């Protein structure tokens, strides 16, 4: 997977991945906002002509081109959902086989209203043992916490259809908290932080996964002491080994 198209390449996640992967991959990027420093072109990833031109000759797609705010409304969610169909259809047409989708932990965000997760995200650790926290697995029932989370869950189902019906290899990464400053700024982040270095490791693992891996959903989080998402399947199937721990920033 040496030639990779990054959709939505100018955001925080895209910029981290561009800088982390550009030395080992031939990257092509488009975004609604041009980034001349990184040679990322301005373009609308929902337009068929733009997509076909961008996809020509690539081996894989990293799709970050959905709304990144938790408070986006249904109209934006619907637009993002339709955009993912357009990307997958264009991939099928041009024979691009590996699709890496930036899903979100908000697909299961409602679990954070339950204990012990509610206490952890509030930074209230009294009486809790981090080694005994029940880890939320990628195979647990989805519980979206917002229209944003529903849209991400839709794409996880959509990609499963394209994997089984069209033979694409679709990998969905439920990204944790990625911050420009690369450090926690709230109590929740000590559980959910995905460091820049671990983000690059995660996506590298998704790109390098065996071609026979048709479909998978994996959490993207660092090796935080208080994390509550299970990384076992990511470790076993896409060779993701988280290394960083948000505790190093604890005052």
């Amino acid at each position: 997977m040496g030639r990779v198209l990054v959709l939505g390449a100018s955001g925080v996640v895209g910029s981290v991945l561009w800088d982390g992967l550009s030395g080992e991959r031939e990257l092509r990027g488009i975004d609604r906002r041009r980034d001349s420093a990184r040679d990322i072109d301005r373009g609308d990833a929902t337009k068929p002509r733009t997509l076909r031109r961008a996809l020509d000759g690539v081996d894989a797609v990293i799709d970050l081109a959905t709304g990144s705010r938790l408070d986006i409304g249904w109209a934006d969610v619907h637009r993002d959902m339709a955009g993912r169909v357009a990307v997958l259809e264009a991939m099928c047409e041009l024979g691009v086989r590996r699709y890496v989708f930036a899903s979100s932990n908000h697909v299961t965000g409602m679990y954070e209203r339950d204990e012990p997760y509610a206490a952890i995200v509030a930074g209230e650790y009294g009486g809790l043992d981090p080694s005994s926290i029940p880890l939320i697995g990628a195979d647990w029932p989805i519980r979206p916490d917002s229209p944003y989370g529903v849209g991400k869950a839709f794409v996880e189902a959509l990609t499963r259809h394209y994997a089984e019906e069209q033979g694409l290899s679709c990998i969905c990464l439920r990204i944790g908290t990625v911050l420009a400053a690369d450090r926690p700024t709230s109590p929740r982040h000590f559980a959910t932080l995905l460091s820049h270095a671990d983000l690059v490791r995660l996506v590298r693992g998704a790109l390098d996964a065996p071609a026979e891996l048709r479909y998978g959903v994996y959490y993207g989080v660092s090796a935080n002491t208080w994390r509550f998402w299970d990384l076992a399947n990511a470790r076993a199937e896409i060779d993701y080994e988280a290394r960083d721990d948000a505790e190093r920033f604890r005052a």
Side-chain angles (χ1 to χ4, degrees):
M1 301 296 167
R3 296 166 296 180
V4 180
L5 171 64
V6 185
L7 302 176
S10 293
V12 172
V13 172
S15 298
V16 170
L17 290 176
W18 194 275
D19 294 345
L21 296 173
S22 59
E24 61 194 60
R25 317 276 169 162
E26 181 184 330
L27 299 182
R28 181 182 302 169
I30 60 173
D31 198 296
R32 292 188 177 182
R33 177 169 55 88
R34 178 174 173 77
D35 184 343
S36 55
R38 294 183 173 87
D39 199 26
I40 295 168
D41 293 330
R42 185 175 182 275
D44 186 346
T46 65
K47 294 183 181 294
R49 182 176 297 179
T50 300
L51 272 176
R52 284 195 293 270
R53 183 171 61 249
L55 284 165
D56 185 38
V58 304
D59 303 308
V61 173
I62 301 171
D63 193 351
L64 314 172
T66 57
S68 58
R69 298 189 338 271
L70 185 59
D71 62 350
I72 64 173
W74 286 113
D76 289 328
V77 170
H78 293 161
R79 193 157 39 246
D80 283 343
M81 290 160 64
R84 310 293 60 76
V85 174
V87 172
L88 290 162
E89 283 291 308
M91 288 179 61
C92 291
E93 179 183 339
L94 294 173
V96 182
R97 311 312 297 170
R98 171 62 50 85
Y99 180 72
V100 179
F101 175 63
S103 187
S104 171
N105 63 89
H106 292 284
V107 169
T108 53
M110 282 295 188
Y111 286 104
E112 294 180 32
R113 299 190 181 187
D114 303 337
E115 297 297 349
Y117 316 113
I120 293 169
V121 299
E124 298 171 356
Y125 308 125
L128 295 177
D129 177 1
S131 66
S132 65
I133 298 168
L135 298 179
I136 299 170
D139 58 348
W140 285 30
I142 64 169
R143 291 178 62 189
D145 59 8
S146 56
Y148 171 82
V150 172
K152 296 289 191 178
F154 166 83
V155 182
E156 290 185 4
L158 177 73
T159 52
R160 180 149 207 163
H161 169 74
Y162 274 86
E164 296 186 356
E165 182 68 18
Q166 301 294 338
L168 298 186
S169 175
C170 298
I171 297 175
C172 300
L173 305 175
R174 289 180 179 169
I175 304 294
T177 302
V178 179
L179 301 167
D182 201 19
R183 61 182 299 145
T185 59
S186 77
R188 180 178 183 268
H189 298 164
F190 283 95
T192 64
L193 185 74
L194 176 61
S195 72
H196 292 185
D198 279 338
L199 170 62
V200 173
R201 293 183 190 103
L202 175 70
V203 173
R204 182 184 293 122
L207 291 172
D208 291 341
E212 57 268 22
L213 179 60
R214 280 280 164 251
Y215 178 78
V217 177
Y218 310 97
Y219 280 103
V221 64
S222 285
N224 305 320
T225 297
W226 290 100
R227 72 172 171 88
F228 45 77
W229 299 316
D230 195 353
L231 295 176
N233 71 326
R235 189 178 302 113
E237 297 173 20
I238 61 172
D239 199 27
Y240 171 55
E241 196 66 52
R243 297 181 187 173
D244 296 328
D245 187 342
E247 288 302 304
R248 72 185 189 273
F249 296 108
R250 187 81 70 175

